[in-house]
Amino acid sequence: MQGLSRTPVLSLANNQIASLPGSLATMHNLTKLNLSYNHIVHIPTCVYSMKGLVFLHLACNRLETIADQIQDLVNLKILIVEGNSIHTLPKTLCSMNSLELLNVDFNELQNVPVEMYLLSRLGRLACHPLDKGLHIVHNPLLKPIQEVLQGGLSALYNYLKPT
């Protein structure tokens, strides 16, 4: 495990994992973590200690929420949580001004936090999986959010911004 603590990339995708050992919190050099296609219900607590993460892939798990501690990942540029059952996004997510790609496609989102406009680095609504920006299609978004999205990310941000 000692050599593992210095590795910058860890992929545990497709392993039927439901949790992670707390000892992984010592992986301070980790920049990319792939936990996609597992059975994770909550983002493991040790992940929030991985302050160097720039890439976190949690697609196709069993997530229903994202904890407020997500804001602890101050260097995170890419967060992929598509294909889960997430109902709401925490307001703390909106303070993560390093985010360049946020993929929440195929979840159960009905609304987005009004502070979402603070995520200025997302830049645009994205369609292609490799595109930077906000991926938010295939969610049961309530009106008027769904119609507003047709105008793109700037239309969404203008709608959400306090006047």
Side-chain angles (χ1 to χ4, degrees), residues 33-74:
L33 179 60
N34 184 347
L35 298 171
S36 62
Y37 295 93
N38 281 299
H39 301 294
I40 298 170
V41 177
H42 301 286
I43 298 175
T45 308
C46 64
V47 170
Y48 300 119
S49 300
M50 300 173 180
K51 307 287 188 221
L53 281 184
V54 294
F55 176 92
L56 180 56
H57 196 334
L58 283 154
C60 302
N61 274 285
R62 297 179 179 167
L63 297 175
E64 292 185 11
T65 59
I66 297 174
D68 286 341
Q69 294 104 299
I70 193 72
Q71 71 181 346
D72 295 347
L73 302 177
V74 294

Side-chain angles (χ1 to χ4, degrees), residues 43 48 65-76 79 88-99 102 112-119:
I43 298 175
Y48 300 119
T65 59
I66 297 174
D68 286 341
Q69 294 104 299
I70 193 72
Q71 71 181 346
D72 295 347
L73 302 177
V74 294
N75 295 306
L76 202 63
L79 176 59
T88 58
L89 297 175
K91 289 180 183 177
T92 56
L93 183 74
C94 301
S95 66
M96 300 177 67
N97 40 14
S98 294
L99 269 185
L102 174 58
V112 295
V114 294
E115 296 84 358
M116 194 94 166
Y117 70 88
L118 296 170
L119 294 173

Side-chain angles (χ1 to χ4, degrees), residues 100-115:
E100 296 175 1
L101 188 156
L102 174 58
N103 188 334
V104 293
D105 285 348
F106 298 99
N107 274 286
E108 301 296 324
L109 294 174
Q110 293 187 335
N111 284 301
V112 295
V114 294
E115 296 84 358

Side-chain angles (χ1 to χ4, degrees), residues 2-42:
Q2 190 172 5
L4 190 61
S5 68
R6 288 194 286 274
T7 187
V9 178
L10 179 61
S11 179
L12 298 171
N14 291 304
N15 278 299
Q16 300 182 346
I17 294 170
S19 64
L20 293 175
S23 59
L24 286 183
T26 61
M27 297 186 69
H28 301 295
N29 292 337
L30 200 63
T31 58
K32 296 179 180 176
L33 179 60
N34 184 347
L35 298 171
S36 62
Y37 295 93
N38 281 299
H39 301 294
I40 298 170
V41 177
H42 301 286

Side-chain angles (χ1 to χ4, degrees), residues 86-89 104-113 116 125 134-153 156 159-160:
I86 298 169
H87 296 279
T88 58
L89 297 175
V104 293
D105 285 348
F106 298 99
N107 274 286
E108 301 296 324
L109 294 174
Q110 293 187 335
N111 284 301
V112 295
M116 194 94 166
L125 286 179
L134 175 63
H135 299 254
I136 195 167
V137 295
H138 305 290
N139 279 288
L141 292 167
L142 297 175
K143 294 177 181 176
I145 299 287
Q146 201 146 26
E147 283 82 2
V148 170
L149 280 174
Q150 292 172 1
L153 191 63
L156 175 65
Y159 172 77
L160 295 172

